[in-house]
Amino acid sequence: MQTLRMNSALLPELLEALKEWGRVWAPVERAPDVFSLEVIDDDVRRARPEALRTIVPFKKLLLKPRFTMLSGRTGEAPTDPLDNDAGAQVLFGVHACDVHALKILDLLYLTDYADPYYQRNREQLVVIGYGCWPDEHCFCESMDTSSVDDGFDLFLTPLEGRFLVAVGTSVGDDIVRANPNLFEAATRQDTRDYLRRLREREEAFSLEIDVTDLPYVLELKKDDPVWDELGKKCLCCGSCSMVCPTCSCFNVMDEVGPGGDSSRVRIWDACLYRDYAVVAGGHNFRADRADRVRQRYYHKQEAFVREFGMPSCVGCGRCIENCPTGINVVEVFQYVRGEL
Ligand code: SF4
Ligand code: SF4
C-alpha cells in the first residue's frame, strides 16, 4: 500500500477534485453536534469528516429507504425504473468502523446471490476514509474494527498540519495521479507521528466489550430473564436498526393504483417491528417484544458469526446514542456474561 502526505490546508482542493469521480457526500453539521450525510458539491467547506456519527449512516447511498423496484400497467411487462440508481458517488469521511460495516453489507448483499439494486450503486462508490477519535459510545476497538487495511480507495489520517494518506485501490491511485499538486511522499516523521497517534487512540477508548466465545455464551443464555426485562424496556421503535450501518431488514410490497398502474416497492424494515415476522395466515413468529429484542442481538452476535465468521456489529455506538430508553448494547452483553 502506497503512503503519502497532504497538507491540511489542501483539503478543500481535494474535495473539489473528488467531484470528478461522482457526487461527493460528507458529514455536515445540521444543528449543534447533529450531523447528517449530505451532498456537498455546492460548498465543499461544509464537510465535517471528524464528526463521529451521522444520524443515518452511509447505507442510504446504496439502498434508499424506499424505492420502486418494478413498475408497469396491468397486462404489460413491468420494468425497472432505476429508482435506486444513484450513479457515481464519492463517500468522504468514512471512519474505520464504517469501512468494516461496508464490508459486512458486501458480504450480505453480494455473497451467493448478488442484490442488483445494491450492486449497481456499490460498483460506482468511491470510499475516502478518515481517521477519527473515539467518544464514550465507541467500542470498535473491542470489535476489532477500529482500523482498516482495505475496503477504501484513500484513507486520510489527520496529523498536526497534514494528513497521512493511504492509497488502497487503483481508483485511489487514479485520484492521486490526477492531482500531483496535492500529495507528496510521506516522511519518516509522518510515519512516527502516525504510529504514536495509533497508540494514543487505543488508550482513548473508555467502552469495552468482551466478545470472546460470545456466540457460545448467547446459545446458553437464550432463556435468560434479561430478554424479558429488555422486552419491557424496549419500545420496538426501530431507531437502533435505522441508524445501524449493518442492519439490513427490508420489506417488498406491491402497490396497485386505481388506474391500473402498479409498482413493487422496497422499504427499510426492522426485525424489532411488531409485524416483521407475521406470515400468511396471520401467525406472528415473534409477537413478544422480548423475542424481537433478543432476535436483533442474536442475529448480530451469534447467527452472523456462524454464517460469516464475524459479528455484524462494528461498535460504532449509533444505537447507544439514539435509543430513547437508554438500552446500551455493551451493558446488555456484560449482563448476559454475568459481569453486571
Ligand atoms: S432504539 Fe431502543 S427502544 Fe427503540 S427499538 Fe432499539 S432498543 Fe428498542
Ligand atoms: S449494533 Fe449498534 S454499535 Fe453495533 S454496528 Fe449497529 S448501531 Fe453500531
Side-chain angles (χ1 to χ4, degrees), residues 233-241 272 293 296-297 319 322-327:
K233 194 173 176 188
C234 173
L235 306 173
C236 285
C237 65
S239 297
C240 51
S241 297
L272 287 151
V293 174
R296 181 167 188 271
Y297 287 110
C319 59
N322 290 290
C323 177
T325 61
I327 293 176

Side-chain angles (χ1 to χ4, degrees), residues 139 240 243-246 296 300 312-319 329:
F139 57 100
C240 51
V243 302
C244 176
T246 64
R296 181 167 188 271
K300 294 224 170 280
S312 65
C313 169
V314 295
C316 70
R318 284 186 180 88
C319 59
V329 54

Side-chain angles (χ1 to χ4, degrees), residues 38-330:
E38 296 183 15
V39 175
I40 55 160
D41 288 356
D42 59 331
D43 178 7
V44 297
R45 288 179 189 273
R46 292 194 300 140
R48 293 285 306 276
E50 77 286 0
L52 266 185
R53 303 174 191 92
T54 53
I55 303 167
V56 178
F58 63 83
K59 64 183 180 183
K60 70 177 183 181
L61 276 66
L62 296 161
L63 290 165
K64 287 177 10 182
R66 176 191 167 100
F67 65 90
T68 302
M69 303 166 74
L70 294 171
S71 61
R73 292 183 59 76
T74 310
E76 294 173 3
T79 54
D80 178 356
L82 304 178
D83 187 21
N84 191 59
D85 278 26
Q89 302 182 99
V90 178
L91 180 53
F92 178 76
V94 196
H95 300 162
C97 65
D98 277 348
V99 174
H100 282 279
L102 190 53
K103 294 191 321 184
I104 287 169
L105 290 188
D106 287 349
L107 282 175
L108 268 170
Y109 288 120
L110 302 176
T111 305
D112 299 332
Y113 171 74
D115 180 328
Y117 303 96
Y118 177 88
Q119 190 174 29
R120 278 199 291 259
N121 286 340
R122 180 68 179 97
E123 284 173 351
Q124 298 185 75
L125 185 70
V126 175
V127 177
I128 312 292
Y130 193 96
C132 56
W133 200 261
D135 72 1
E136 72 278 15
H137 298 317
C138 296
F139 57 100
C140 57
E141 184 73 11
S142 303
M143 303 308 295
D144 204 18
T145 56
S146 67
S147 60
V148 270
D149 299 327
D150 61 5
F152 55 83
D153 296 295
L154 293 178
F155 198 102
L156 278 59
T157 302
L159 303 174
E160 202 175 333
R162 78 271 193 212
F163 296 104
L164 194 78
V165 182
V167 184
T169 62
S170 58
V171 172
D173 193 49
D174 289 345
I175 295 168
V176 169
R177 285 174 191 273
N179 297 280
N181 54 319
L182 299 182
F183 304 99
E184 51 193 329
T187 64
R188 280 192 196 154
Q189 188 59 45
D190 292 332
T191 315
R192 270 197 292 270
D193 289 351
Y194 171 77
L195 293 174
R196 193 181 66 232
R197 184 186 193 274
L198 275 192
R199 279 195 304 275
E200 289 172 359
R201 184 170 174 272
E202 267 172 39
E203 285 165 16
F205 284 88
S206 55
L207 199 57
E208 274 181 55
I209 177 171
D210 180 3
V211 292
T212 323
D213 296 332
L214 194 52
Y216 180 60
V217 174
L218 285 171
E219 193 62 44
L220 296 173
K221 295 279 191 161
K222 273 201 167 125
D223 298 321
D224 195 286
V226 68
W227 306 117
D228 289 324
E229 288 306 311
L230 283 172
K232 286 179 203 151
K233 194 173 176 188
C234 173
L235 306 173
C236 285
C237 65
S239 297
C240 51
S241 297
M242 297 301 131
V243 302
C244 176
T246 64
C247 271
S248 48
C249 295
F250 64 85
N251 197 0
V252 174
M253 296 183 304
D254 287 342
E255 295 177 343
V256 183
D261 293 335
S262 58
S263 52
R264 175 162 292 174
V265 296
R266 178 163 154 178
I267 56 172
W268 288 6
D269 206 341
C271 58
L272 287 151
Y273 291 155
R274 190 193 56 193
D275 294 343
Y276 185 80
V278 174
V279 292
H283 180 69
N284 190 342
F285 281 97
R286 288 193 289 271
D288 291 342
R289 285 185 186 194
D291 289 340
R292 300 201 290 278
V293 174
R294 183 174 57 185
Q295 160 67 21
R296 181 167 188 271
Y297 287 110
Y298 272 67
H299 183 242
K300 294 224 170 280
Q301 296 284 0
E302 200 241 358
F304 204 88
V305 178
R306 294 201 190 285
E307 189 167 1
F308 293 109
M310 64 170 88
S312 65
C313 169
V314 295
C316 70
R318 284 186 180 88
C319 59
I320 300 173
E321 195 172 65
N322 290 290
C323 177
T325 61
I327 293 176
N328 180 318
V329 54
V330 173

Side-chain angles (χ1 to χ4, degrees), residues 16-53:
E16 287 291 344
L18 288 173
K19 290 183 193 173
E20 287 293 316
W21 274 265
R23 281 188 303 155
V24 181
W25 292 78
V28 166
E29 191 164 23
R30 302 298 302 165
D33 278 336
V34 178
F35 298 90
S36 66
L37 202 52
E38 296 183 15
V39 175
I40 55 160
D41 288 356
D42 59 331
D43 178 7
V44 297
R45 288 179 189 273
R46 292 194 300 140
R48 293 285 306 276
E50 77 286 0
L52 266 185
R53 303 174 191 92

